[in-house]
Amino acid sequence: MDLKLLDAVATREERDAVAGFAGGGRDRLLPALHAVNDRVGWISQGALNLICETLHVPPADAYGVATFYSLFALEERPERVVHVCTDLACRLKGSDTVCDVLTEHVGAAGKARGGVTWLRSPCLGVCERAPAALTFQAGDPATAELL
Ligand code: FES
């Protein structure tokens, strides 16, 4: 397959995250995207290039998968992110108040302050805990906690 990649180059940290996927195929795409997003906090063009090259996956395919999942980021953001579910069950249980409090203390959704940002999220799959939020800390290992 002839892959058309961009010129962007992966960082050392991104290369470390992808190193274990050498010899893999398309079935390893989601785990490889997770590995980079978990380690660095987002997936750069260089990392996406490296994943495509390593797994022999067309960039459009990888981009489509990476943009489908709201917990993946293709633009740089802080290593600590709070995902606040604003879907129906959580909205009915007060997620707007959670968003208001975060806006007051951190800033508008997507703005970073003190190495933290927060985002509105579609359903996190824990509607029984509404209003639900997920804190994510990128790193090695990454940590996530449902609130
Ligand atoms: S609607 Fe919020 S977790 Fe499902």
Side-chain angles (χ1 to χ4, degrees):
M1 179 181 314
D2 185 23
L3 299 177
K4 306 285 187 213
L5 302 173
L6 300 173
D7 292 334
V9 176
T11 64
R12 179 188 173 130
E13 197 173 18
E14 293 164 341
R15 288 195 306 273
D16 288 347
V18 177
F21 294 93
R26 168 69 172 78
D27 62 316
R28 303 293 292 152
L29 177 57
L30 202 49
L33 291 169
H34 261 295
V36 172
N37 199 79
D38 287 358
R39 180 100 167 229
V40 183
W42 68 291
I43 303 164
S44 71
Q45 286 186 350
L48 205 56
N49 274 344
L50 179 62
I51 291 169
C52 292
E53 199 171 41
T54 301
L55 302 179
H56 305 285
V57 172
D61 189 7
Y63 183 82
V65 172
T67 55
F68 178 79
Y69 295 99
S70 65
L71 296 181
F72 288 151
L74 293 177
E75 293 186 6
E76 188 168 6
R77 65 184 182 195
E79 292 181 355
R80 187 163 187 80
V81 181
V82 179
H83 299 271
V84 179
C85 175
T86 54
D87 236 322
L88 186 58
C90 289
R91 181 162 292 185
L92 291 173
K93 290 287 192 171
S95 65
D96 285 346
T97 302
V98 175
C99 293
D100 290 346
V101 169
L102 286 168
T103 298
E104 184 179 327
H105 290 90
V106 179
K111 299 291 183 193
R113 184 178 198 181
V116 179
T117 192
W118 71 278
L119 301 167
R120 297 176 195 279
S121 169
C123 181
L124 293 169
V126 287
C127 310
E128 73 281 2
R129 297 173 71 159
L134 173 75
T135 63
F136 173 78
Q137 174 69 52
D140 184 24
T143 57
E145 181 181 3
L146 276 168
L147 303 175

